[in-house]
Amino acid sequence: METQDPFLTTAQPGQMLARGVCRHLRSHDYVCVEELVPTRGLRVDVMALGPKGEVWIVECKSSRADFTSDSKWQGYLEWCDRYFFAVDQDFPTELLPPETGLIIADSYGAEIIRFPDEDKLPAARRKVMHMKFARTSAQRLQAYRDPGVAGLFAD
Amino acid sequence: METQDPFLTTAQPGQMLARGVCRHLRSHDYVCVEELVPTRGLRVDVMALGPKGEVWIVECKSSRADFTSDSKWQGYLEWCDRYFFAVDQDFPTELLPPETGLIIADSYGAEIIRFPDEDKLPAARRKVMHMKFARTSAQRLQAYRDPGVAGLFAD
């Protein structure tokens, strides 16, 4: 018998993929933050930070329409060393640009199918991404540990 | 009538001070992670990260004995730009070294009473601290968001 997983009753399809992606990337020693904003107007589904400061971005596409309606993804390339799409196993992967990475995911895990070439971030931008990652994750962690802080500061 | 705060029934005195410190430092635009390990054998009560990458360490001392029994605090100085002690309002602050920063705190907030001089981290060590901060906070955040990940990876 499966135990109930409250996440699955409320999450959007893209968030389910993101959860599996984040779980899997831990096995590569990458830690993740979801819905990170590198700069105004951009919001990446998953930013993963590697043990040597590597920056990966993973966009989670739950359907063909979700991908074809996305006019922003190329704007993410300049914010990471490697860029991946994560999709479920029924997604028509031939739609995806072959130069991007490919991850097949579900709510529980994922697998990296295709590794993209590295396009190294300039040092200054890497620093920006590290700081965004650190500050976003710490602020959210504090909101979980100390719900009382939420009323004191608006993000 | 006060609403019950479950944290206060389980937290150690030092953790209560840390919570107030972390709340207060947000008003200085610093984000915090508690119980961070810069290197094997050292565990700082609070690491705070500033908007320009500044690194502060705050040690929380709940009593005279808690301070006098601490033989490690000088070892933290080389891991931050500024070092503070946080104590409650009844603590005999004359015990504390005058070159260190001083914060008076309780569970709900804090105030910086004395600002220590800055002793800037070398760039390489700053990078280490930023990465520790980012990875520690993201791993803990993931454990809150996705309790299922806990069984997959031991930290």
Side-chain angles (χ1 to χ4, degrees):
Chain A
M1 195 181 98
E2 275 194 52
T3 55
Q4 201 185 349
D5 185 339
F7 172 81
L8 299 180
T9 63
T10 59
Q12 302 293 318
Q15 294 175 315
M16 295 188 193
L17 298 179
R19 187 177 83 163
V21 167
C22 295
R23 284 189 181 186
H24 179 69
L25 291 183
R26 282 288 291 278
S27 68
H28 291 267
D29 202 13
Y30 277 63
V31 293
C32 295
V33 168
E34 294 168 52
E35 297 182 19
L36 182 123
V37 177
T39 189
R40 197 185 296 255
L42 285 186
R43 178 183 296 266
V44 307
D45 290 338
V46 175
M47 172 180 160
L49 177 66
K52 294 177 178 163
E54 304 93 330
V55 175
W56 294 356
I57 286 176
V58 185
E59 283 298 293
C60 300
K61 296 300 176 194
S62 58
S63 67
R64 170 192 289 259
D66 191 13
F67 172 69
T68 55
S69 66
D70 178 359
S71 57
K72 285 188 171 177
W73 73 266
Q74 275 131 327
Y76 301 144
L77 297 176
E78 57 181 304
W79 296 93
C80 60
D81 299 311
R82 298 186 201 268
Y83 180 88
F84 298 80
F85 283 109
V87 297
D88 69 23
Q89 60 182 5
D90 297 327
F91 188 95
T93 55
E94 65 280 5
L95 291 179
L96 300 171
E99 69 276 18
T100 60
L102 175 59
I103 296 174
I104 303 290
D106 62 20
S107 302
Y108 300 98
E111 195 176 348
I112 299 177
I113 305 295
R114 183 174 67 224
F115 229 80
D117 287 340
E118 189 177 46
D119 186 7
K120 275 208 176 187
L121 282 173
R125 182 156 286 189
R126 182 182 309 281
K127 216 181 245 180
V128 169
M129 290 302 277
H130 286 179
M131 287 296 288
K132 293 274 180 192
F133 185 98
R135 291 176 63 88
T136 303
S137 56
Q139 281 177 20
R140 291 185 190 161
L141 176 63
Q142 186 181 19
Y144 276 104
R145 286 176 53 85
D146 178 12
V149 83
L152 303 176
F153 305 98
D155 287 322
Chain B
M1 194 182 98
E2 275 196 52
T3 55
Q4 204 186 348
D5 185 338
F7 171 80
L8 300 180
T9 63
T10 58
Q12 301 293 317
Q15 293 174 316
M16 295 187 193
L17 298 177
R19 187 177 82 164
V21 167
C22 295
R23 283 189 182 187
H24 179 68
L25 292 183
R26 282 288 290 280
S27 68
H28 292 266
D29 202 13
Y30 277 64
V31 293
C32 296
V33 168
E34 295 170 50
E35 298 183 16
L36 181 124
V37 177
T39 188
R40 195 185 296 256
L42 287 186
R43 179 183 296 265
V44 307
D45 290 338
V46 175
M47 173 180 158
L49 178 66
K52 294 178 179 164
E54 303 94 330
V55 175
W56 294 356
I57 287 176
V58 184
E59 283 297 295
C60 300
K61 296 299 177 194
S62 59
S63 66
R64 172 194 288 261
D66 192 13
F67 172 69
T68 56
S69 67
D70 179 358
S71 57
K72 284 189 172 175
W73 72 266
Q74 276 130 327
Y76 300 144
L77 296 175
E78 59 182 301
W79 297 92
C80 60
D81 299 311
R82 297 188 202 266
Y83 180 88
F84 298 80
F85 283 108
V87 297
D88 68 26
Q89 58 180 6
D90 298 326
F91 189 95
T93 54
E94 65 279 6
L95 291 180
L96 300 170
E99 69 275 18
T100 60
L102 175 59
I103 296 173
I104 303 290
D106 63 19
S107 301
Y108 299 99
E111 195 178 346
I112 299 177
I113 304 296
R114 185 174 65 223
F115 229 82
D117 288 340
E118 189 176 48
D119 186 7
K120 275 209 173 182
L121 282 173
R125 183 157 287 188
R126 183 181 309 281
K127 214 179 248 180
V128 169
M129 289 303 276
H130 287 179
M131 288 295 288
K132 292 273 180 190
F133 185 98
R135 291 177 61 89
T136 302
S137 57
Q139 281 178 19
R140 291 185 191 160
L141 175 64
Q142 187 182 21
Y144 275 104
R145 285 176 53 85
D146 178 12
V149 81
L152 304 177
F153 305 99
D155 284 322

